[in-house]
Amino acid sequence: MRKLFFVFFSFLIILLASFAILFGLMNTPFATPVASWLLSQWSTNKIEFNHVEYDFPYHIKLQQPKWQSNSDTFAFHQVDIWLNSEIYQNGQWLIDSILFDGGEINQLPALEKFASNVKLHQLALHNITINQDEHHITGLSLQIKNPSWRQVGQQLPYGEIQFAAKSWQWQGEKATNLLIDANYQPQDSTIYGMTFHWRDGQISGQAEQYAQGWSLVNVTVNHLTLPKGLTQQLDYKWHSLPFVINHINSLDLLNCNIAWQDLELTNADLSLEDTNLDGLVPSQGSLSLHADTANWQGLKWVDPNITLAFSNHSLIIQDFTSGFLQGNIQLAGQWSPEGVHLTSLTAQGLKWFGENISDLQQMPSLPKWENLQIDSLSLDNIQLIQTAQKPFWQLSGLNIEGESTQLLKSGQLGLWNGSLRLSANSASLGRTITSQSLIEMHSDAGIWQLSRAFLPFKQGYLDATAKWDFGQNSGPWQFKAHGDGVPIELINQYLTLPLHVSALAEVDTDLSGLGSNPLVIMHTLTGKASVSMRQGIATLQYDNTTVVQPFELDGAQLLADRGRLTIPKVNLIGAGLQASLSGELDLVDLENGQLLLKTQQDCKKVDFDLLRNKTLVTECSISK
């Protein structure tokens, strides 16, 4: 026993003496080769440095160190090493801390081999610049507590991380003033806090990692600016991130200016809560949004407010209000891939003015949805004016009321179900003006009925009813109308005629057919119409001559039989006028039809081919 104690005590004295000699040499000119030998025990790579300083008992400072790993060379201004008091344990060198200070490198070194020989308590970097592939980081300071490398080639070790950088550029995007406090692990990592500036905005918050991806926790974005045209680039970059964000616990955007596809938001506040990012429309979550203005497809919305909920990839519009077209609009309902179902849509005081062709191109229209149903529809005091091209038209004091209306079905526009009531204080098309007009319609299972269309004119009215079965493929329809004092001057805007006509007409119409498509309508049009005209003025032009001829027409008939139309000869009545109107034509073969107005005054015959916009003048022969 005494011998064993003597041997152990002798070995301990020799070991202490060795360490004393070793550390003693660190304060002599032999310090640099001794430090090189020590570092060779920790790393398989050759490490070079200009000078070494030793602060008793555990601090070693290397000046201008560099080493090469594979094809990469790593160089720093200084490296500080703080040894653990126990130095060596269980086959590993014990190091409390290593600090790499100053330098520019292409990538973080893979230190997994170093970690197999060394047990490191803390790894730190200060004032480092990194140029790695698409990443450029300046002013990097990094501190990792209990770093561990578990994969070959792993550059950023797992551990408790404190990260700071002046700037980080990646794929053309630049973030500045970055601060991150995190626990980086192979799974279930946590970001306790992060903050940085990006595109004029300040971003801060926390995040948690789960098996399916990252969740953003209490993230706030202030004064972010995303200009138009950037969305597609950011979408590509989003999908190329080395991590997946699939859930948002809480995200607030404040005072942001964002352009996304056809939507532009100015000074917007947006909040997302408990939202899954698992599709264009999430499977769960909620969103609230307010903005000073929003522009969507060329239309401007003022002070919009919207509250949404996501459920099973459907969008539930709990409330939407906005100023729009000098009025206001409010709606609630649901959007799904199958279509849109609004529980309510109300609007007051909307005004639209089409003064240029571009205004017509931006006129509000229904999006290309498959289905649209509105349970309660109320549009009050709407004004629409179009002066961009003739014929000019306007609707003033327009009111639309609807109940249980289905306006789109399989992408086709129509009143498929429900009821609509339209009224207008004033409406005009060209010079034709009507006031206090009323249109009422309803539909049940695709059978549409025009209960009444009543259009009062200055000296008369037009009253019409109709029926159209949308549900049948053939689409059978009926139309009946009666009017008296109906101004017909409007036909000059839509028909190319060799004369100009104005008159007040008495009309009786009873027509029917099949309406599955325009060709079927032309093949099946059947029924009759009668027209009488009074206070007629025909302006005839031929041979550089203009003739203004008053006329009346009594009992003109139009007979339709499966698309073949016949107008029996009828005379026009007027002072000094001899004229007749007649015609036969087939809607499917108009080129071979005839619609003739024959006139004779004194010794001159003028025949007007109304179908082809031609005039034939024949002089009478005078016998002596």
Side-chain angles (χ1 to χ4, degrees), residues 356-517:
N356 304 295
I357 297 298
S358 59
D359 297 330
L360 302 182
Q361 296 170 348
Q362 296 177 357
M363 187 176 181
S365 61
L366 290 175
K368 295 181 180 179
W369 295 323
E370 278 295 299
N371 299 284
L372 173 60
Q373 182 174 338
I374 305 175
D375 294 342
S376 177
L377 173 65
S378 178
L379 309 180
D380 299 327
N381 196 25
I382 310 301
Q383 185 176 33
L384 308 173
I385 299 175
Q386 189 278 126
T387 58
Q389 61 185 17
K390 292 184 177 182
F392 304 149
W393 56 263
Q394 66 89 24
L395 287 167
S396 298
L398 173 65
N399 301 298
I400 303 176
E401 304 293 331
E403 293 292 334
S404 302
T405 58
Q406 184 176 7
L407 301 178
L408 287 174
K409 183 177 181 181
S410 299
Q412 299 297 315
L413 179 64
L415 182 61
W416 295 88
N417 278 294
S419 62
L420 277 177
R421 184 179 188 273
L422 295 82
S423 63
N425 292 336
S426 174
S428 65
L429 182 59
R431 295 183 180 181
T432 302
I433 301 174
T434 177
S435 58
Q436 305 303 321
S437 55
L438 174 66
I439 298 176
E440 295 178 336
M441 63 183 76
H442 66 275
S443 186
D444 184 12
I447 301 177
W448 174 81
Q449 294 188 65
L450 178 63
S451 306
R452 189 183 188 191
F454 183 70
L455 307 178
F457 302 105
K458 185 177 181 179
Q459 301 182 56
Y461 69 93
L462 178 66
D463 201 353
T465 60
K467 184 177 181 180
W468 191 355
D469 191 346
F470 296 156
Q472 296 188 43
N473 291 333
S474 58
W477 60 272
Q478 296 176 341
F479 176 78
K480 294 182 179 181
H482 172 75
D484 190 10
V486 179
I488 68 164
E489 185 178 6
L490 193 63
I491 66 171
N492 300 295
Q493 299 282 351
Y494 292 98
L495 299 179
T496 303
L497 299 174
L499 69 162
H500 185 280
V501 179
S502 65
L504 298 177
E506 182 179 355
V507 180
D508 277 295
T509 302
D510 187 355
L511 300 172
S512 63
L514 302 178
S516 57
N517 59 60

Side-chain angles (χ1 to χ4, degrees), residues 188-231:
D188 299 336
S189 297
T190 303
I191 298 178
Y192 301 113
M194 63 177 177
T195 180
F196 59 92
H197 289 83
W198 174 64
R199 291 198 171 271
D200 301 329
Q202 182 176 0
I203 302 171
S204 61
Q206 300 86 43
E208 297 176 342
Q209 183 189 33
Y210 297 93
Q212 60 271 28
W214 283 85
S215 174
L216 302 183
V217 181
N218 298 328
V219 174
T220 301
V221 181
N222 239 317
H223 296 286
L224 179 67
T225 299
L226 297 180
K228 190 174 183 179
L230 183 68
T231 307

Side-chain angles (χ1 to χ4, degrees), residues 491 495 497 511 525 527-533 553-561 563-572 579-587 590 593-598 608-611:
I491 66 171
L495 299 179
L497 299 174
L511 300 172
L525 179 66
K528 61 181 180 179
S530 64
V531 179
S532 296
M533 299 184 189
L553 179 66
D554 188 16
Q557 299 289 318
L558 182 147
L559 307 175
D561 181 14
R564 292 183 293 272
L565 307 183
T566 302
I567 301 176
K569 183 178 179 180
V570 61
N571 293 323
L572 280 73
S580 65
L581 176 69
S582 63
E584 288 188 359
L585 59 153
D586 191 331
L587 293 178
L590 287 176
Q594 284 190 336
L595 183 58
L596 300 176
L597 174 62
K598 297 183 177 182
F608 296 93
D609 188 341
L610 303 181
L611 197 60

Side-chain angles (χ1 to χ4, degrees), residues 196-415:
F196 59 92
H197 289 83
W198 174 64
R199 291 198 171 271
D200 301 329
Q202 182 176 0
I203 302 171
S204 61
Q206 300 86 43
E208 297 176 342
Q209 183 189 33
Y210 297 93
Q212 60 271 28
W214 283 85
S215 174
L216 302 183
V217 181
N218 298 328
V219 174
T220 301
V221 181
N222 239 317
H223 296 286
L224 179 67
T225 299
L226 297 180
K228 190 174 183 179
L230 183 68
T231 307
Q232 188 173 0
Q233 300 177 34
L234 291 181
D235 184 64
Y236 166 77
K237 295 171 184 178
W238 173 272
H239 288 94
S240 62
L241 288 173
F243 53 87
V244 175
I245 300 175
N246 79 315
H247 180 263
I248 294 176
N249 182 67
S250 176
L251 171 64
D252 293 312
L253 277 68
L254 305 175
N255 307 307
C256 295
N257 298 311
I258 299 174
W260 182 70
Q261 295 185 358
D262 292 334
L263 177 64
E264 294 183 41
L265 300 174
T266 302
N267 198 27
D269 295 337
L270 181 148
S271 179
L272 274 171
E273 301 288 338
D274 193 21
T275 302
N276 290 334
L277 304 181
D278 51 0
L280 179 63
V281 178
S283 59
Q284 73 170 44
S286 63
L287 178 148
S288 60
L289 169 69
H290 169 264
D292 285 353
T293 61
N295 282 282
W296 179 57
Q297 294 185 343
L299 301 175
K300 185 176 182 179
W301 305 76
V302 179
D303 199 30
N305 284 279
I306 186 168
T307 302
L308 306 176
F310 308 113
S311 177
N312 297 322
H313 301 289
S314 294
L315 189 155
I316 301 170
I317 308 170
Q318 297 173 338
D319 184 47
F320 172 79
T321 60
S322 179
F324 181 61
L325 295 177
Q326 304 181 48
N328 60 80
I329 188 169
Q330 182 175 9
L331 61 88
Q334 180 173 340
W335 179 96
S336 69
E338 290 74 34
V340 175
H341 184 174
L342 299 181
T343 55
S344 65
L345 170 60
T346 62
Q348 299 86 28
L350 305 187
K351 296 179 177 64
W352 177 82
F353 300 94
E355 299 173 331
N356 304 295
I357 297 298
S358 59
D359 297 330
L360 302 182
Q361 296 170 348
Q362 296 177 357
M363 187 176 181
S365 61
L366 290 175
K368 295 181 180 179
W369 295 323
E370 278 295 299
N371 299 284
L372 173 60
Q373 182 174 338
I374 305 175
D375 294 342
S376 177
L377 173 65
S378 178
L379 309 180
D380 299 327
N381 196 25
I382 310 301
Q383 185 176 33
L384 308 173
I385 299 175
Q386 189 278 126
T387 58
Q389 61 185 17
K390 292 184 177 182
F392 304 149
W393 56 263
Q394 66 89 24
L395 287 167
S396 298
L398 173 65
N399 301 298
I400 303 176
E401 304 293 331
E403 293 292 334
S404 302
T405 58
Q406 184 176 7
L407 301 178
L408 287 174
K409 183 177 181 181
S410 299
Q412 299 297 315
L413 179 64
L415 182 61

Side-chain angles (χ1 to χ4, degrees), residues 85-104:
S85 59
E86 298 185 11
I87 304 297
Y88 192 82
Q89 189 180 78
N90 298 327
Q92 287 183 310
W93 295 93
L94 304 184
I95 300 178
D96 281 347
S97 179
I98 295 180
L99 170 62
F100 297 88
D101 192 356
E104 182 172 340

